[in-house]
Amino acid sequence: MTASRTATITRTTSESSVTLRLDLDGSGTSSVSTTVPFFDHLLTAFSKHSLIDLEVDAHGDTDIDAHHTVEDTAIVLGQAIRQALGARTGIARYGDATVPLDEALAQAVVDVSGRSYLVHTGEPDGFALHRIGGHFTGSLVRHAFEALTAHSAVTMHVRVLAGRDPHHIAEAEFKAAARAFRAAVALDPRVHGVPSTKGAL
């Protein structure tokens, strides 16, 4: 019988408090509250399209800026994914997804490699400075992916291939990342042990 691939992590700093639970083998159900509404929307989409069950309860100094709460939540999400993966045996390891949202198109490629690396390109000029929903700045998409990859020990490439509306661009990026993670962390019955010639990930 396959061991449970779940994790529960709490992280508290002077800037934020985050409690997060996940199940890599879920059905995409979620309960997300970060006090940053658009980030809630993105994480809910990530859960739905990755099939990772996700519970998030986070709050922080959003009276100053949403940055700390978003980044710290992404740190904990990365830590939880890494913990839930365990020894990374039996996984597909790689995932690749291209996702449209109206005029926006994003591609994400994930390697559950044990090495943290992010390549993030293609967002249009001005996207990073645009406020979405009044709380979430476009630059936070990259910050979230940086924190997620650094703490999950995965390599991820995200490319925005087309897009005009900042909401659509950000959501397409998160949905593409979700679908790529879904494929990469999936258990493959043909894989025995760790999918690496080195014998470790």
Side-chain angles (χ1 to χ4, degrees):
M1 185 174 180
T2 303
S4 173
R5 298 196 302 166
T6 62
T8 300
I9 294 180
T10 296
R11 182 178 190 267
T12 301
T13 72
S14 61
E15 298 170 339
S16 71
S17 177
V18 182
T19 297
L20 186 147
R21 301 176 184 84
L22 64 73
D23 182 351
L24 294 181
D25 301 308
S27 59
T29 62
S30 62
S31 174
V32 179
S33 177
T34 67
T35 72
V36 181
F38 187 65
F39 194 45
D40 290 356
H41 178 61
L42 294 178
L43 290 177
T44 299
F46 182 85
S47 171
K48 175 64 70 175
H49 294 283
S50 66
L51 298 182
I52 296 173
D53 289 348
L54 187 62
E55 296 179 28
V56 183
D57 182 16
H59 58 273
D61 54 1
T62 52
D63 54 319
I64 297 173
D65 190 274
H67 179 107
H68 296 144
T69 302
V70 169
E71 183 174 43
D72 291 351
T73 300
I75 286 171
V76 175
L77 176 58
Q79 291 172 337
I81 289 172
R82 184 172 188 170
Q83 180 175 310
L85 281 167
R88 308 186 181 208
T89 56
I91 61 169
R93 178 174 169 177
Y94 297 101
D96 182 355
T98 303
V99 172
L101 178 53
D102 295 348
E103 87 298 342
L105 184 66
Q107 180 190 31
V109 182
V110 168
D111 176 8
V112 183
S113 60
R115 300 183 304 277
S116 303
Y117 203 92
L118 174 69
V119 177
H120 183 248
T121 61
E123 290 178 346
D125 292 344
F127 176 86
L129 303 178
H130 189 90
R131 285 195 175 271
I132 308 170
H135 297 84
F136 187 95
T137 306
S139 63
L140 293 176
V141 171
R142 181 182 177 89
H143 284 307
F145 286 150
E146 286 172 336
L148 173 60
T149 55
H151 292 273
S152 59
V154 305
T155 293
M156 183 163 67
H157 289 240
V158 180
R159 295 191 299 160
V160 176
L161 302 174
R164 177 182 55 81
D165 184 288
H167 181 142
H168 293 170
I169 292 168
E171 189 170 337
E173 290 185 80
F174 265 79
K175 286 180 176 178
R179 295 288 299 199
F181 262 98
R182 174 178 170 177
V185 305
L187 294 171
D188 185 334
R190 297 176 64 193
V191 175
H192 300 285
V194 175
S196 171
T197 55
K198 294 184 296 186
L201 289 173

